[in-house]
């Protein structure tokens, strides 16, 4: 299996991260890991540095998205608790 070109992998990581295409990022991650695992097809030091930078940027973007989702889920949970409390209070008042 030929090693993918580092520059195209970096660009693809940036584009997938911008689109929030986590499946594409996972596929790219597998391709890069396979390329790094091939002893005779390794990237140069500069290519590895570029890949590492692209990977860190994608990781930061996905981490930020994960944090935003955590906040949204927490807000939904609090809203649901408020709705349940209101419903229970309404039932108690009607009784």
């Amino acid at each position: 299996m030929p090693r993918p070109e580092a520059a195209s992998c970096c660009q693809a990581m940036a584009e997938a991260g911008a689109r929030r295409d986590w499946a594409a990022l996972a596929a790219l991650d597998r391709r890069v890991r396979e390329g790094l695992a091939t002893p005779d097809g390794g990237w140069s030091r500069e290519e590895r540095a570029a890949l590492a930078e692209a990977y860190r940027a994608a990781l930061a973007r996905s981490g930020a998205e994960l944090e935003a989702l955590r906040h949204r889920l927490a807000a939904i949970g609090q809203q649901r608790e408020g709705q349940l409390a209101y419903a229970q209070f309404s039932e108690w008042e009607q009784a």
Side-chain angles (χ1 to χ4, degrees):
M1 173 185 207
R3 167 182 58 81
E5 184 183 340
S8 66
C9 283
C10 291
Q11 182 178 356
M13 278 189 225
E15 290 170 358
R19 288 189 319 268
R20 295 179 173 149
D21 187 347
W22 311 127
L25 276 173
L28 284 163
D29 179 58
R30 281 190 299 277
R31 283 180 55 202
V32 170
R33 286 177 190 264
E34 289 170 2
L36 290 171
T38 306
D40 60 342
W43 283 291
S44 70
R45 179 177 290 244
E46 294 80 19
E47 289 173 319
R48 287 176 186 259
L51 287 165
E53 181 61 33
Y55 187 81
R56 279 191 292 273
L59 188 61
R61 184 177 288 272
S62 66
E65 183 71 16
L66 179 62
E67 191 61 28
L69 286 172
R70 264 192 211 124
H71 286 293
R72 286 174 53 195
L73 287 174
I76 289 169
Q78 290 173 351
Q79 183 180 20
R80 179 162 165 70
E81 288 175 13
Q83 289 171 342
L84 289 173
Y86 180 78
Q88 288 175 347
F89 180 74
S90 294
E91 287 175 7
W92 178 75
E93 218 174 44
Q94 290 174 0

